[in-house]
Amino acid sequence: MNSKVTSTLMCAMTGAVALGALSSCKTKKGDEAPKKPMNIVYIMCDDHSYQTISAYDQRFIETPNIDRIANEGARFTNSFVANSLSGPSRACMLTGKHSHANGFTDNTTTFDGNQQTFPKLLRANGYQTAMIGKWHLVSEPTGFDYWDILIGQGLYYNPTFIKNGEKIKREGYATNIVTDLAIEWMDSIRDKEKPFCLFIHHKAPHRTWMPDTCDLDLYNDVTYPLPKNFYDKYEGRIPASKQEMSIIKDMDLVYDLKLADKENQIHSSKELEPIGRSMYNALNPAQKAAWDKHYDPIIAKFKKDKLTGKALAEWKYQQYMHDYLRVIHSVDRNVGRVLKYLEENNLLDNTMIVYTSDQGFYMGEHGWFDKRFMYEESFRTPLLVRLPGGKKGDIDEMVQNIDYGPTILDLAGVEVPKDMHGVSFLPLLKGEHPADWRKSLYYHFYEYPAEHAVRRHYGVRTDRYKLIHFYNDIDCWELYDLQEDPAEMHNIFGKPGTEEITKDLKKEMLRLQEQYETYIKTNIVYLLFFLNTVGVTPTVFLNNVLKLRGCLKPVLSEISITDNEVCTSNLQAQSILHFCI
């Protein structure tokens, strides 16, 4: 990090909690003092990229309090999600199951709170459970002794919460409020005779990246480096070219970049501009005064400069990065508050602390913001775990958010249900390296047609390769060698010399689909509706599928597609077959 960035960051760290050495209480052999049950504090942000945690990447920001969890615990270097979208990711975490099995495939659905979740199992085994902050699963939380949640996405300023069914509007900044509520619950609401599992779910740093008023002027003198592939042209990657999450084209001046001028001269999207202006209008007088002091000069200069082309694109990137990182600074400060409370109340020695995000996020890579794709910046998520007596340092085995529930149950001594797809990584936290640990991961994204226009896709990832299939109104395969092409710029599917690895990856994909029983979840009603729409009778469909594969299981491993372009002659047939997955 250059000296200019470093000096600015060090000045900005005045609000951070000092990082002191932990006192250790060692028990001599022969002591008969019973072990305290292990508590769990699970801190999850929304859209926090691993690139903006200094335990992972030092280019952009220092996050000393989040880093403390890594320094005193484990940093997972290969942590991934099952479906890179807020609600579905949360459902995967709570159930330990992939989206097709828990039923919450995209943000248009409602979570079935009657189903099994790991907080319910903890509660049934003597744990107190509390959910505070962002829930985003539509239905009311179940399996919690206490819940105090934001409505929907929640607001950054003066948000309304639902506390055990009662709506309460609270003045202030959401990240601070969520932390206040979490500390209050630990300090004065919970039964201190029982072990607990507390979920602290922040809205931050979800779009629209609104900083706390005290952080508005942070990093003003910092210029962030432009990603090498910011001007990606998406050669050989048709689905990537069709997305609508471009900083250049899709990041909104008023909604995202806060250019809600009082003269009403700056206009943007018809859908987003009114929302952007309403967010400003929802601020209280003191918040507006701080907001105006910071943004009015930016707005005036923007009007004067009349930027276009690359100059406008790169200005938007800098504005995005500054606001996003200011929001992260607030998150880090509040993580420090939680750690300080745990330390001062002698809870560090019997509390596992988890810091993660519901998925990754693009910081300008490929010219994007947002997530959704199976590409690394979105698919990966930070995961830091401080387990008293556990491993310190890096854990390189591949883990996924479907593993969180089994791990926490295992830690609590609760039997992990056999129908959970995830596996406990508690052995990894103890420094073990199980010989039978997974060698691949399965992913499936469903939300299309929808915001950002990312096509439906599923795929498999190994330590070196990634195979993705985009389907629905498109039929494209992509193959990446992550060792030679970590930025995933060169789709090598169908290239000479990739035949064997493609065949192996398709077989592995099929194995995972069978392991997770994806084909059993075929919705016959929708299948019949689709067949009727394209004019194919069920008899013809079944006969053709039986000829191809001999059963109704996924057939993709047996299909060879050599043309990466959309092939209209077989698109309908391919789309029909994907209803079996």
Side-chain angles (χ1 to χ4, degrees):
M1 186 178 290
N2 63 48
S3 59
K4 190 175 184 180
V5 174
T6 303
S7 63
T8 304
L9 293 175
M10 293 306 293
C11 291
M13 284 162 54
T14 54
V17 177
L19 302 180
L22 286 177
S23 59
S24 60
C25 299
K26 295 182 179 179
T27 304
K28 294 180 181 178
K29 288 183 179 179
D31 286 357
E32 297 182 0
K35 284 187 176 180
K36 293 181 181 179
M38 194 67 70
N39 305 309
I40 300 98
V41 172
Y42 177 91
I43 307 171
M44 185 167 76
C45 280
D46 192 316
D47 295 344
H48 192 177
S49 63
Y50 64 87
Q51 305 95 296
T52 54
I53 296 176
S54 49
Y56 285 98
D57 190 331
Q58 290 79 47
R59 289 177 298 165
F60 302 120
I61 189 172
E62 295 290 339
T63 51
N65 297 299
I66 297 172
D67 289 2
R68 177 180 174 182
I69 300 171
N71 294 336
E72 297 175 5
R75 181 185 77 152
F76 285 78
T77 61
N78 284 297
S79 167
F80 300 85
V81 296
N83 184 351
S84 187
L85 194 62
S86 180
S89 183
R90 292 159 196 270
C92 291
M93 179 272 292
L94 287 168
T95 62
K97 298 177 181 178
H98 281 278
S99 299
H100 69 274
N102 67 51
F104 200 94
T105 54
D106 60 51
N107 283 332
T108 67
T109 51
T110 298
F111 184 70
D112 178 7
N114 294 316
Q115 67 182 300
Q116 169 187 278
T117 63
F118 82 84
K120 289 182 181 179
L121 297 172
L122 286 176
R123 193 180 182 198
N125 284 273
Y127 271 74
Q128 293 174 93
T129 55
M131 168 65 68
I132 296 173
K134 185 168 181 179
W135 173 245
H136 202 213
L137 290 170
V138 186
S139 58
E140 289 189 346
T142 57
F144 299 96
D145 296 287
Y146 180 92
W147 49 275
D148 201 338
I149 61 170
L150 291 160
I151 297 175
Q153 292 285 3
L155 299 174
Y156 274 104
Y157 282 92
N158 314 320
T160 299
F161 286 73
I162 305 177
K163 177 183 178 181
N164 291 342
E166 177 189 0
K167 286 187 178 181
I168 302 174
K169 184 175 181 178
R170 296 183 169 104
E171 286 283 305
Y173 188 67
T175 309
N176 301 331
I177 296 169
V178 168
T179 304
D180 291 344
L181 295 173
I183 291 174
E184 179 187 15
W185 183 84
M186 288 190 288
D187 195 55
S188 60
I189 298 175
R190 70 182 177 92
D191 180 348
K192 296 185 180 179
E193 298 301 314
K194 295 182 178 180
F196 67 86
C197 181
L198 169 63
F199 297 81
I200 306 174
H201 285 195
H202 290 294
K203 170 189 173 60
H206 191 277
R207 189 184 189 188
T208 57
W209 323 293
M210 295 177 74
D212 194 350
T213 53
C214 65
D215 297 323
L216 283 169
D217 291 325
L218 286 179
Y219 318 132
N220 277 348
D221 61 343
V222 179
T223 299
Y224 294 102
L226 203 68
K228 292 180 180 178
N229 57 3
F230 184 75
Y231 291 109
D232 191 350
K233 297 185 183 302
Y234 316 115
E235 292 98 335
R237 291 161 288 144
I238 294 171
S241 71
K242 293 180 177 292
Q243 48 65 40
E244 296 174 3
M245 45 193 263
S246 163
I247 291 174
I248 299 170
K249 297 178 182 178
D250 305 306
M251 186 170 279
D252 193 88
L253 291 174
V254 175
Y255 178 70
D256 292 314
L257 302 177
K258 294 92 174 167
L259 301 187
D261 64 323
K262 297 174 182 63
E263 299 79 16
N264 200 30
Q265 295 172 338
I266 298 175
H267 298 293
S268 55
S269 159
K270 290 182 180 179
E271 293 78 21
L272 296 179
E273 181 184 335
I275 303 173
R277 293 187 180 277
S278 70
M279 290 190 300
Y280 171 80
N281 293 330
L283 301 176
N284 65 33
Q287 292 161 353
K288 281 184 178 177
W291 206 257
D292 291 346
K293 182 181 178 182
H294 177 75
Y295 284 105
D296 279 357
I298 293 173
I299 292 170
K301 188 174 188 307
F302 179 82
K303 288 181 177 180
K304 178 183 176 182
D305 291 346
K306 298 179 181 178
L307 301 173
T308 59
K310 285 190 173 183
L312 176 59
E314 294 177 19
W315 179 89
K316 291 172 78 172
Y317 169 75
Q318 293 297 329
Q319 283 295 113
Y320 163 51
M321 292 293 290
H322 280 81
D323 281 346
Y324 184 99
L325 292 167
R326 289 163 181 149
V327 172
I328 296 302
H329 181 77
S330 173
V331 169
D332 185 71
R333 179 170 59 238
N334 279 281
V335 168
R337 292 178 59 206
V338 173
L339 296 177
K340 184 173 185 287
Y341 176 84
L342 293 171
E343 186 168 18
E344 289 178 348
N345 288 272
N346 300 314
L347 289 168
L348 281 178
D349 288 341
N350 68 314
T351 301
M352 181 173 80
I353 304 166
V354 178
Y355 185 86
T356 188
S357 175
D358 53 356
Q359 61 262 324
F361 212 68
Y362 292 100
M363 309 309 302
E365 299 90 355
H366 303 285
W368 295 339
F369 64 102
D370 208 67
K371 56 266 183 177
R372 301 168 196 261
F373 280 107
M374 196 187 172
Y375 305 136
E376 291 292 282
E377 293 85 359
S378 167
F379 187 25
R380 282 183 176 271
T381 197
L383 179 61
L384 308 171
V385 182
R386 183 190 186 278
L387 176 65
K391 177 180 171 62
K392 293 184 179 180
D394 285 354
I395 294 176
D396 298 326
E397 284 88 348
M398 288 191 290
V399 299
Q400 206 163 15
N401 59 346
I402 55 172
D403 300 332
Y404 298 176
T407 302
I408 291 172
L409 291 174
D410 195 8
L411 178 72
V414 179
E415 184 178 358
V416 178
K418 289 183 171 57
D419 64 345
M420 283 190 171
H421 294 159
V423 293
S424 170
F425 53 72
L426 187 59
L428 305 181
L429 289 170
K430 292 180 177 179
E432 300 171 16
H433 299 279
D436 61 348
W437 194 258
R438 66 162 65 93
K439 305 298 182 186
S440 63
L441 295 169
Y442 183 70
Y443 178 88
H444 200 148
F445 175 79
Y446 299 83
E447 190 172 283
Y448 176 81
E451 183 182 21
H452 297 307
V454 174
R455 268 53 179 182
R456 299 181 192 186
H457 58 285
Y458 55 90
V460 61
R461 186 197 192 278
T462 64
D463 60 341
R464 178 167 179 175
Y465 294 100
K466 184 185 297 181
L467 180 69
I468 311 173
H469 185 251
F470 293 87
Y471 70 99
N472 185 254
D473 68 346
I474 198 169
D475 180 23
C476 295
W477 289 84
E478 294 182 358
L479 173 64
Y480 297 98
D481 182 339
L482 300 172
Q483 180 175 299
E484 298 297 324
D485 179 27
E488 296 166 294
M489 296 291 289
H490 306 289
N491 175 19
I492 59 174
F493 183 83
K495 302 293 185 184
T498 64
E499 294 85 359
E500 280 302 310
I501 187 60
T502 301
K503 182 179 178 181
D504 290 345
L505 288 169
K506 284 186 176 181
K507 284 184 177 179
E508 181 61 10
M509 183 187 292
L510 176 60
R511 186 190 70 80
L512 291 172
Q513 289 170 338
E514 291 177 333
Q515 176 182 328
Y516 299 133
E517 300 181 326
T518 60
Y519 56 86
I520 290 176
K521 289 295 177 181
T522 300
N523 189 318
I524 299 300
V525 174
Y526 284 119
L527 174 59
L528 293 175
F529 173 79
F530 183 83
L531 292 175
N532 181 64
T533 301
V534 299
V536 177
T537 67
T539 301
V540 171
F541 167 73
L542 290 174
N543 286 340
N544 280 284
V545 171
L546 291 171
K547 287 177 183 177
L548 285 171
R549 187 70 170 84
C551 66
L552 280 174
K553 293 182 181 180
V555 298
L556 297 177
S557 66
E558 303 297 332
I559 297 173
S560 175
I561 298 175
T562 57
D563 186 359
N564 191 48
E565 298 293 326
V566 177
C567 182
T568 55
S569 64
N570 73 357
L571 183 57
Q572 286 187 350
Q574 289 292 321
S575 297
I576 292 171
L577 293 175
H578 293 311
F579 275 80
C580 294
I581 301 171

